[in-house]
Amino acid sequence: MTRVNWKAVLDDDFQVPDHTPLGDLTTELTELLGSPDADLRDRLAYPTLATWIERGVYDDLLPGLGDGMVAGLRVGLGEPEGDDVFRRSFSALVLAECIARDNSRPLVLGGKVLQWGDALATWLLRERDLRGFVPGKGWAHSIAHGADALGVLARSPHLAAAELTVLLDVIVDRLVLPVERPFQHGEDDRLAAATIAVLRRDSVPMTVLEPWINRITAAATAPRASSADPYLTTGNAQGFLRSLYLGLALGARPPAIRADLMLVLVGALRATNVVLRDG
């Protein structure tokens, strides 16, 4: 495969190089998505693929490109830590770009987008490498990138109320999974943003949302007595409830049910923030 002068591509505003097949370019960029070198991964491979998708370079090839990113979600999946996390995490971001392109103009069959959504959900719930910033290698941020992808998926016209409800269930399932250390790099904010993207569709009723919040509240409530660190089981859910409240209170384009939802959230926050409530 011909090696490309990628610096020249960046300097030329991401113009597609002449005399090199697009397939070869894509293969090389896909490999670089998994690089532990942040310059190659964050500042070359991902922005190049994202820009080309946005500019329509892959419009005739979008289903195949998305399927390639789905394959990337499975590379090394199940490992607690390792460099393969970069391939998985950045494949999720590129898959989100594919979905966003289809959101802006119909290019992919609805069944294919739903398959991509199933793959994203499966990966996000099975991902064990929860590191945010990795010293010397940059951002892994799998949970945050997965949340970003779910937020883009939530805007897809191929998803109706049933599928949007599944996205909410995926978010709460991820929040209640046991962890070795709580999220500490803004993952709760990104999951809340994905949730708000679902809520803005105004398709999921309060009859679904209220028990959904109650489930998170239960996960955010510390046991009365425990020899284990309670924040390992409650911290992620507590942080998410706060982020969701702030996102609804401060964000633009509120969902139609914001007022009712805020009342339920206030009750959840009162129940799970005893120090702030009684201090």
Side-chain angles (χ1 to χ4, degrees):
M1 179 173 60
T2 302
R3 306 300 291 184
V4 177
N5 182 352
W6 289 109
K7 183 179 183 305
V9 173
L10 297 181
D11 291 343
D12 197 26
D13 190 31
F14 298 101
Q15 294 301 310
V16 181
D18 295 328
H19 312 301
T20 304
L22 182 59
D24 290 351
L25 297 170
T26 305
T27 297
E28 188 167 342
L29 288 169
T30 301
E31 291 174 355
L32 293 176
L33 284 178
S35 173
D37 184 331
D39 285 331
L40 296 177
R41 183 183 67 250
D42 295 46
R43 290 179 278 278
L44 170 59
Y46 169 63
T48 301
L49 285 166
T51 300
W52 289 357
I53 292 168
E54 183 179 356
R55 291 178 180 174
V57 173
Y58 289 108
D59 278 0
D60 295 333
L61 306 168
L62 205 59
L65 180 63
D67 286 346
M69 296 303 116
V70 165
L73 297 175
R74 297 190 289 266
V75 175
L77 184 60
E79 298 174 352
E81 288 190 4
D83 286 346
D84 284 338
V85 68
F86 297 112
R87 175 69 182 276
R88 298 191 299 272
S89 184
F90 281 81
S91 291
L93 284 185
V94 177
L95 184 56
E97 296 289 348
C98 294
I99 297 170
R101 182 64 177 170
D102 182 71
N103 289 350
S104 66
R105 56 175 62 193
L107 294 167
V108 183
L109 293 176
K112 174 62 69 177
V113 173
L114 294 180
Q115 287 177 9
W116 291 348
D118 287 342
L120 279 168
T122 299
W123 159 69
L124 189 61
L125 294 177
R126 292 182 58 197
E127 181 60 66
R128 295 182 61 198
D129 193 336
L130 308 186
R131 292 174 295 170
F133 188 83
V134 181
K137 298 179 181 180
W139 290 104
H141 232 188
S142 56
I143 302 303
H145 290 177
D148 294 347
L150 292 185
V152 174
L153 182 63
R155 294 188 282 274
S156 170
H158 302 299
L159 273 66
E163 292 80 16
L164 293 169
T165 300
V166 170
L167 292 189
L168 293 177
D169 288 338
V170 170
I171 289 170
V172 69
D173 287 346
R174 180 67 260 186
L175 284 169
V176 303
L177 282 173
V179 293
E180 295 183 1
R181 54 183 176 270
F183 298 150
Q184 55 184 342
H185 287 101
E187 292 89 348
D188 42 9
D189 293 337
R190 307 278 270 275
L191 288 165
T195 299
I196 292 172
V198 173
L199 299 175
R200 283 182 178 141
R201 293 289 303 273
D202 292 325
S203 297
V204 183
M206 280 301 300
T207 53
V208 172
L209 292 171
E210 187 166 358
W212 178 79
I213 291 175
N214 290 340
R215 184 183 171 200
I216 301 172
T217 304
T221 304
R224 292 184 180 275
S226 175
S227 60
D229 181 354
Y231 284 99
L232 292 182
T233 56
T234 64
N236 290 341
Q238 288 180 4
F240 173 81
L241 288 172
R242 297 187 194 107
S243 293
L244 183 58
Y245 179 86
L246 279 176
L248 288 170
L250 303 178
R253 298 185 295 112
I257 46 80
R258 178 170 72 171
D260 291 338
L261 192 58
M262 293 282 277
L263 288 175
V264 177
L265 274 173
V266 167
L269 291 169
R270 286 185 181 277
T272 57
N273 291 269
V274 176
V275 172
L276 296 177
R277 183 192 67 196
D278 299 337

